[in-house]
């Protein structure tokens, strides 16, 4: 059956057939919030993941001196936190992110100071570098900080930092802020008071995990990995040649002791020991890793570029970049602390590794 067209419709179709072009089609579609796939060209998608994140190393002397200067000119009355962020030159500078998924920064809290209580959707962690005796309170749990301790503040846990010691505290902050921002999920709330009440200590929680737990008492969330527990475990691991990973040396992951899963849903933390003269084999993976040299010095080759690091330096290995670690010392072990977005990629089915 034929459909009759009006004179006007026929005239319009005729005009369109004569005068249409890709440019005109694109313009008309753009006005209707439409876009043709042909605008992407014939190249198609890349054969492997691409990233704007660049391999980059930040010197501890630059970071620390900036923190100390900030201690003189930035007040915690005027700034929510006194934090220096590491910024990747390949990313938008106004965001101040080191990678596209995880942010690394360093925080400085002077004696007598308190960084007020708040909570937010980005998950955060602290790896303690300098000072002793200050504490972070996480959902009522007082976590007294010592160098090498890892303290978690998962999504929407209340946290505040207090330094009642007589020396400044410096720690590394890791957050999944870039990832949460990409998902349009960033929000923050302030606690009604500057400090939240303390209900228990890390010792109470760790004690519960090792022994009998009163019936009906909910298992506490686990927030605090103490270096005094981590270090002997890492050293014991390094005495077992069978435990050596060809790409990472002796690597110990921080796993949740209750559920056994990743450190947090979006971030996996680890410490790895590279014995004197260690040279690992190269590999690459779809996860991005931020490293912090906690002990010793060495070299990491990233995408054919050499990065020499010393204690306190931080560096980024972007996704799908070949990399290998070298401890150039003939006598000293090196220890790297790391954060990676592997759990998020695994959850999305996007983690891959290649040797
Ligand atoms: Fe926070
Ligand atoms: Fe790796």
């Amino acid at each position: 059956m034929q459909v009759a067209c009006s004179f006007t419709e026929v005239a319009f179709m005729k005009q369109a057939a004569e005068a249409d072009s890709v440019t005109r089609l694109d313009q008309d579609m753009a006005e209707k919030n439409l876009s043709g796939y042909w605008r992407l060209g014939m190249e198609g998608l890349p054969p492997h993941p691409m990233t704007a994140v660049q391999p980059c190393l930040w010197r501890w002397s630059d970071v620390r001196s900036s923190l100390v200067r900030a201690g003189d000119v930035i007040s915690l009355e005027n700034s929510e936190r006194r934090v220096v962020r590491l910024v990747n030159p390949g990313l938008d500078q106004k965001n101040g992110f080191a990678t596209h998924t995880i942010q690394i920064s360093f925080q400085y809290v002077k004696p007598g100071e308190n960084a007020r209580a708040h909570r937010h959707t980005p998950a955060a962690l602290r790896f303690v570098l300098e000072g002793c005796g200050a504490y972070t309170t996480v959902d009522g749990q007082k976590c007294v900080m010592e160098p090498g301790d890892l303290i978690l503040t998962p999504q929407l846990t209340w946290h505040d930092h207090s330094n009642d010691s007589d020396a400044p505290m410096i720690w590394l902050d890791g957050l999944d802020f870039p990832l949460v921002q990409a998902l349009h999920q960033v929000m923050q709330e302030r606690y009604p008071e500057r400090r939240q009440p303390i209900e228990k200590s890390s010792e109470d929680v760790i004690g519960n995990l090792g022994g009998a737990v009163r019936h009906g008492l909910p298992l506490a969330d686990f927030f605090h990995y103490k270096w005094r527990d981590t270090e002997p475990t890492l050293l014991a691991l390094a005495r077992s040649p069978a435990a050596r990973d060809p790409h990472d040396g002796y690597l110990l992951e921080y796993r949740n002791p209750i559920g056994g899963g990743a450190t947090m849903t979006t971030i996996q933390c680890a410490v790895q020991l590279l014995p004197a003269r260690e040279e690992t084999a190269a590999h690459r993976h779809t996860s991005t890793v931020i490293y912090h040299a906690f002990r010793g010095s060495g070299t990491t080759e990233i995408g054919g570029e050499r990065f020499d690091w010393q204690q306190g330096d931080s560096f980024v290995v972007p996704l799908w970049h070949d990399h290998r670690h070298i401890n150039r010392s003939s006598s000293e072990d090196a220890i790297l602390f790391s954060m990676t977005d592997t759990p998020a990629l695994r959850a999305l089915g996007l983690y891959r590794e290649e040797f």
Side-chain angles (χ1 to χ4, degrees):
M1 186 181 75
Q2 288 204 330
V3 178
C5 294
S6 70
F7 176 80
T8 310
E9 286 171 325
V10 170
F12 176 77
M13 289 164 62
K14 188 178 175 193
Q15 183 189 21
E18 287 173 354
D20 208 356
S21 67
V22 174
T23 305
R24 184 168 172 183
L25 175 60
D26 287 344
Q27 287 171 346
D28 290 345
M29 288 174 65
E31 289 171 7
K32 301 173 179 97
N33 298 321
L34 300 170
S35 179
Y37 187 79
W38 53 85
R39 289 176 63 86
L40 301 178
M42 292 293 289
E43 291 148 22
L45 302 178
H48 54 76
M50 306 283 282
T51 181
V53 176
Q54 295 178 7
C56 188
L57 182 141
W58 295 265
R59 294 274 170 225
W60 180 238
S61 54
D62 296 332
V63 172
R64 195 179 190 288
S65 62
S66 300
L67 284 169
V68 173
R69 286 177 64 188
D72 292 335
V73 296
I74 302 293
S75 154
L76 289 186
E77 302 308 315
N78 301 325
S79 176
E80 188 88 356
R81 299 289 190 260
R82 186 186 294 112
V83 159
V84 170
R85 314 170 88 191
L86 307 193
V87 185
N88 194 288
L91 297 177
D92 190 341
Q93 300 294 292
K94 77 173 173 1
N95 283 325
F97 294 150
T99 78
H100 61 306
T101 50
I102 301 176
Q103 172 59 33
I104 175 175
S105 33
F106 293 87
Q107 190 160 167
Y108 188 73
V109 182
K110 296 194 292 185
E113 286 187 328
N114 163 262
R116 60 172 304 127
H118 67 197
R119 66 176 186 171
H120 36 67
T121 42
L125 61 93
R126 335 273 159 207
F127 187 70
V128 183
L129 300 173
E130 288 186 22
C132 246
Y135 60 92
T136 290
T137 309
V138 187
D139 271 358
Q141 179 180 325
K142 181 178 181 180
C143 306
V144 178
M145 299 168 130
E146 294 177 26
D149 284 7
L150 175 67
I151 297 167
L152 310 181
T153 54
Q155 296 91 341
L156 291 176
T157 48
W158 295 108
H159 56 281
D160 56 280
H161 315 300
S162 299
N163 188 356
D164 296 341
S165 77
D166 54 8
M169 290 291 300
I170 297 179
W171 62 81
L172 176 162
D173 282 317
L175 293 97
D176 60 8
F177 199 110
L179 180 63
V180 176
Q181 179 166 288
L183 296 170
H184 296 193
Q185 299 294 328
V186 173
M187 57 77 61
Q188 177 173 292
E189 278 183 282
R190 277 188 168 181
Y191 196 76
E193 281 95 45
R194 193 168 178 94
R195 300 182 194 221
Q196 62 182 300
I198 294 170
E199 297 163 358
K200 60 195 169 196
S201 70
S202 295
E203 282 68 24
D204 297 334
V205 175
I206 293 167
N208 278 346
L209 287 174
V213 179
R214 182 160 56 87
H215 177 70
L217 193 71
L219 277 174
D221 289 322
F222 192 81
F223 300 132
H224 195 167
Y225 301 79
K226 289 178 174 291
W227 185 245
R228 72 175 82 134
D229 299 324
T230 306
E231 184 179 33
T233 309
L234 182 63
L235 295 176
L237 188 77
R239 287 193 291 272
S240 170
R244 178 182 176 272
D245 182 288
H247 306 105
D248 283 308
Y250 296 93
L251 184 136
L252 197 60
E253 290 186 326
Y254 292 90
R255 293 200 163 268
N256 186 297
I258 298 169
T263 318
M264 290 193 285
T265 52
T266 49
I267 305 175
Q268 178 64 57
C269 297
V271 278
Q272 65 196 82
L273 187 147
L274 304 171
R277 298 195 185 92
E278 170 71 277
E279 290 195 26
T280 66
H283 74 158
R284 61 182 178 179
H285 32 68
T286 52
S287 54
T288 297
V289 190
I290 301 174
Y291 288 98
H292 178 80
F294 185 54
R295 298 276 189 267
S297 58
T299 297
T300 298
E301 294 172 355
I302 309 170
E305 203 176 345
R306 176 187 169 123
F307 293 85
D308 295 329
W309 41 265
Q310 299 176 344
Q311 183 171 321
D313 294 348
S314 304
F315 57 97
V316 163
V317 175
L319 62 87
W320 216 243
H321 280 56
D322 286 312
H323 56 281
R324 63 191 289 258
H325 307 293
I326 301 160
N327 183 349
R328 288 177 285 106
S329 170
S330 57
S331 56
E332 300 286 323
D333 294 342
I335 297 177
L336 293 170
F337 172 79
S338 65
M339 307 181 281
T340 167
D341 53 11
T342 305
L345 292 177
R346 284 195 195 281
L348 295 169
L350 294 173
Y351 182 78
R352 282 191 300 129
E353 180 183 7
E354 194 174 86
F355 310 133

